[in-house]
Amino acid sequence: MAKRRPNGGGTITKRSDGRYQGAAYVTDTDGNRVRKYVYGRTWDEANEKLGKLQDQERNGIPVPSRSWTLGEWLAYWLEHIVAPEREHNTYVKYESKVRLYLLPHLGKKPLVKLTPAQVRTFMATLTREKVGASARFEVLRVLRNALNRAMREELITRNVALLVDMPKVSKDRGTAWTAREAIAFLRSVRAHRLYAACVLVLVLGLRRSEVLGLRWQDIDFEAGHFTPVKQVQRVKGAGLVLKDLKTESSQAVLPLPEFCARALGERRELQELERKIAGEHWSQEPDHDLIFSSEHGGMIDPVGFSRTFDRLVKRAGVRRITVRLARHTCGTLLAFLKVHPKVAQAILRHSQISMTMDVYTHVVGDSEREAVGMLAELLEDPLIG
């Protein structure tokens, strides 16, 4: 006797090829009522799939109005979701991972049929192709983000990439400078026009985009504090732009140690001199009141700043590190500058003073006593080279 489903429960019929076909009316993502089909080798298998389909309908989850491949969805996601909503640098990073890794290996897979096994095989392929752990980590993270959005758009019911373990990435990305190395660098670059920018990176731990976005109006020399609110970024189609910092915590009022204030004071004098020398060639772009402008008054490219920093490091003869890593020297330098722990806590943005004291205690026991003498020279003689 043929099995029957309850009224309104769809229909199941046997096909000429021996398989069973289930059919029911459901709502698609465009809001239309459409007849959706499922298939099974047995009646029970088709019945189970049809039941899941109708459970989704009862729970208000529509079926996709079209059959996306993963590649089609990734292209749509990049153009219509990532590009308008994220920073340009984020878009560039996501786009490269999609183009170089995801599209060649998984682009033709149906979005709704993507499985954890397929993603694991893909990640194993990247490993065999000698793709580094950091890159593989970023690739899987991009896929997870894209599939999360597909779930929000109700194109899929689960994110299979979440079922795949993230690659293990070594946290050892190098060691920040010691106080001796940082002070030796600052002594070497003392006469450079961006000396004050290097001071802010090393002593205050500011990011390069934050340093380049600082304006004179953000500095209160009398009160001894500053408030970073802007950053310089390169945006596709617009070039360098001055943008708001992303979070309110990034715009907190921070103490300005005397060492930094003095470097900024010298920077202001130098900028006025540069403005006079440039004369009519000074930038005609809107005056953003930037502290660190180019020699002709324009914004400085963050990538260009990193290249300048690299050249200065090489010339100083100290261990080569990146601007990003150099920022982590700030706690050590604050201790050597004898900045009060409570002030250092605010600069380092530590939630507890004990975290700051851990840094200070380490510095007190440091063997680099000669760094104290080097720092004293830098503090006492503003013209030292």
Side-chain angles (χ1 to χ4, degrees):
M1 183 179 297
K3 300 179 182 179
R4 298 189 60 182
R5 290 181 57 82
N7 291 336
T11 60
I12 298 178
T13 57
K14 190 171 184 178
R15 292 161 48 97
S16 59
D17 61 5
R19 292 189 302 161
Y20 287 83
Q21 172 183 288
Y25 281 97
V26 293
T27 305
D28 69 13
T29 50
D30 291 332
N32 300 317
R33 294 290 291 175
V34 295
R35 191 168 174 82
K36 182 72 175 179
Y37 299 93
V38 295
Y39 303 93
R41 288 172 295 180
T42 64
W43 190 96
D44 289 334
E45 183 179 345
N47 182 56
E48 181 179 357
K49 290 182 178 180
L50 194 58
K52 290 180 179 179
L53 181 66
Q54 295 192 306
D55 284 342
Q56 292 180 30
E57 173 74 6
R58 283 189 289 271
N59 291 328
I61 302 175
V63 299
S65 58
R66 56 170 295 187
S67 298
W68 297 81
T69 64
L70 178 62
E72 289 173 332
W73 168 248
L74 290 172
Y76 177 89
W77 174 68
L78 285 171
E79 180 180 355
H80 297 283
I81 298 172
V82 177
E85 298 179 3
R86 300 294 187 93
E87 299 289 345
H88 175 64
N89 291 343
T90 301
Y91 170 82
V92 170
K93 181 171 66 175
Y94 284 8
E95 188 277 335
S96 67
K97 298 300 183 292
V98 169
R99 172 171 43 84
L100 296 176
Y101 304 108
L102 291 167
L103 287 183
H105 294 279
L106 295 175
K108 295 182 180 180
K109 302 291 184 184
L111 178 63
V112 296
K113 295 182 179 180
L114 190 66
T115 66
Q118 290 173 331
V119 178
R120 289 193 190 96
T121 300
F122 160 63
M123 296 300 293
T125 300
L126 295 186
T127 301
R128 288 196 302 272
E129 293 178 352
K130 308 296 184 183
V131 176
S134 296
R136 286 186 279 117
F137 184 95
E138 291 299 327
V139 168
L140 186 54
R141 185 166 67 172
V142 168
L143 180 59
R144 286 183 172 187
N145 288 344
L147 295 183
N148 274 338
R149 188 54 185 246
M151 286 184 63
R152 287 175 56 188
E153 300 281 331
E154 298 179 332
L155 298 176
I156 55 176
T157 58
R158 65 171 182 165
N159 186 340
V160 296
L162 293 175
L163 303 177
V164 179
D165 294 334
M166 296 293 283
K168 294 183 178 180
V169 180
S170 173
K171 295 183 180 180
D172 183 15
R173 298 182 179 177
T175 305
W177 277 333
T178 61
R180 183 182 184 282
E181 290 172 312
I183 296 168
F185 170 75
L186 289 178
R187 290 183 66 189
S188 172
V189 303
R190 185 66 184 79
H192 195 274
R193 62 184 304 274
L194 293 180
Y195 164 73
C198 295
V199 168
L200 298 188
V201 168
L202 291 171
V203 179
L204 300 181
L206 296 181
R207 298 174 179 86
R208 65 182 186 181
S209 59
E210 292 174 329
V211 169
L212 299 177
L214 274 178
R215 304 164 300 171
W216 290 114
Q217 66 195 67
D218 301 330
I219 311 295
D220 189 332
F221 286 99
E222 291 186 6
H225 61 65
F226 71 104
T227 308
V229 296
K230 298 289 185 178
Q231 60 181 328
V232 172
Q233 287 195 348
R234 182 171 290 280
V235 175
K236 185 178 181 181
L240 294 177
V241 297
L242 196 62
K243 305 185 67 173
D244 292 334
L245 290 174
K246 294 181 180 179
T247 62
E248 292 183 2
S249 62
S250 299
Q251 302 177 14
V253 177
L254 298 174
L256 185 69
E258 175 58 30
F259 182 55
C260 300
R262 193 177 72 181
L264 286 172
E266 295 172 3
R267 169 60 195 160
R268 181 156 56 182
E269 293 177 4
L270 176 60
Q271 188 179 58
E272 287 303 315
L273 179 60
E274 290 177 338
R275 188 190 300 268
K276 290 179 181 179
I277 293 174
E280 62 181 14
H281 298 294
W282 191 258
S283 176
Q284 299 303 310
E285 297 177 0
D287 185 0
H288 296 297
D289 194 35
L290 291 175
I291 295 174
F292 301 107
S293 53
S294 69
E295 293 178 341
H296 292 90
M299 285 183 279
I300 295 177
D301 190 330
V303 174
F305 176 77
S306 291
R307 290 171 181 160
T308 299
F309 183 86
D310 290 341
R311 288 194 297 270
L312 293 174
V313 170
K314 185 176 181 180
R315 190 177 73 182
V318 294
R319 179 164 50 91
R320 302 283 293 276
I321 64 173
T322 63
V323 177
R324 183 189 296 267
L325 193 55
R327 294 175 50 225
H328 300 293
T329 306
C330 62
T332 302
L333 286 182
L334 289 170
F336 269 90
L337 287 166
K338 300 188 183 302
V339 174
H340 192 279
K342 290 297 292 183
V343 176
Q345 179 186 3
I347 293 173
L348 297 172
R349 311 189 190 187
H350 287 163
S351 58
Q352 298 179 339
I353 189 65
S354 59
M355 299 171 64
T356 310
M357 293 309 300
D358 284 343
V359 176
Y360 272 44
T361 302
H362 168 74
V363 171
V364 170
D366 201 350
S367 62
E368 304 162 2
R369 299 302 177 186
E370 63 180 296
V372 177
M374 296 168 60
L375 181 59
E377 292 182 20
L378 195 60
L379 288 169
E380 293 170 5
D381 185 357
L383 298 178
I384 190 171

